[in-house]
Amino acid sequence: MHILTRGNVATMRTMLHVFVGAAMLVLTACEQTIDVELPYQERIVVNGFVGMEEATWGIPPTVHITRTLPPLDQTDTARMRIDDVEAVITHRGADYPLAKGSNTLMRLPEESAHWAGDSVTLRVRGGGMTAFSTTYIPK
């Protein structure tokens, strides 16, 4: 027999309903919508693999060059494109301009498949921005 209800089932149910109702009231009272402005700075995004062979992977060696979009914006590939993009990859002092492919793809030079074990530098310009990167291509 329970001390508060003295075994009365109806009283126990009533107390349970009151408890559940109070819990729901407390939980819904905690909801609050907050508007925030997230920091955003447009940047160039470079995605690709230097040093892969087309025969091995079955795809041509390319670099995907886009720009960032503001946080919480809908993904729109047309807005991610950089129309005036130019990219140059440097290997052992020689510059190799990347050829424009479809949309945001830039084709790497054929020689890049043989650069394993060396470092390369990539310079990208477009949309009023510049990106610069140096990487080592593992064997």
Side-chain angles (χ1 to χ4, degrees):
M1 191 163 16
H2 195 271
I3 296 171
L4 293 175
T5 61
R6 298 192 195 219
N8 187 341
V9 176
T11 306
M12 288 174 38
R13 276 194 199 131
T14 303
M15 287 183 68
L16 178 63
H17 289 285
V18 169
F19 176 76
V20 170
M24 289 177 60
L25 182 63
V26 167
L27 292 175
T28 57
C30 295
E31 184 177 322
Q32 183 178 8
T33 303
I34 300 173
D35 291 328
V36 295
E37 292 209 18
L38 299 173
Y40 167 69
Q41 185 176 8
E42 186 177 66
R43 301 283 178 138
I44 292 176
V45 178
V46 179
N47 187 11
F49 296 97
V50 180
M52 68 177 201
E53 297 181 34
E54 185 172 355
T56 304
W57 294 91
I59 56 173
T62 55
V63 174
H64 189 73
I65 300 175
T66 58
R67 75 176 87 225
T68 57
L69 294 177
L72 308 177
D73 266 15
Q74 295 293 324
T75 301
D76 181 3
T77 55
R79 286 183 48 217
M80 292 171 68
R81 284 190 207 123
I82 305 172
D83 294 326
D84 62 342
V85 69
E86 294 177 2
V88 175
I89 194 163
T90 304
H91 175 253
R92 293 187 179 180
D95 288 343
Y96 299 88
L98 277 61
K100 287 189 179 184
S102 62
N103 293 326
T104 58
L105 292 177
M106 304 280 291
R107 188 170 174 90
L108 292 165
E110 292 180 19
E111 297 88 353
S112 67
H114 307 288
W115 292 346
D118 287 335
S119 293
V120 295
T121 301
L122 177 67
R123 292 185 317 273
V124 179
R125 286 192 193 120
M129 300 173 286
T130 303
F132 178 84
S133 173
T134 300
T135 189
Y136 173 78
I137 304 168
K139 292 184 180 183

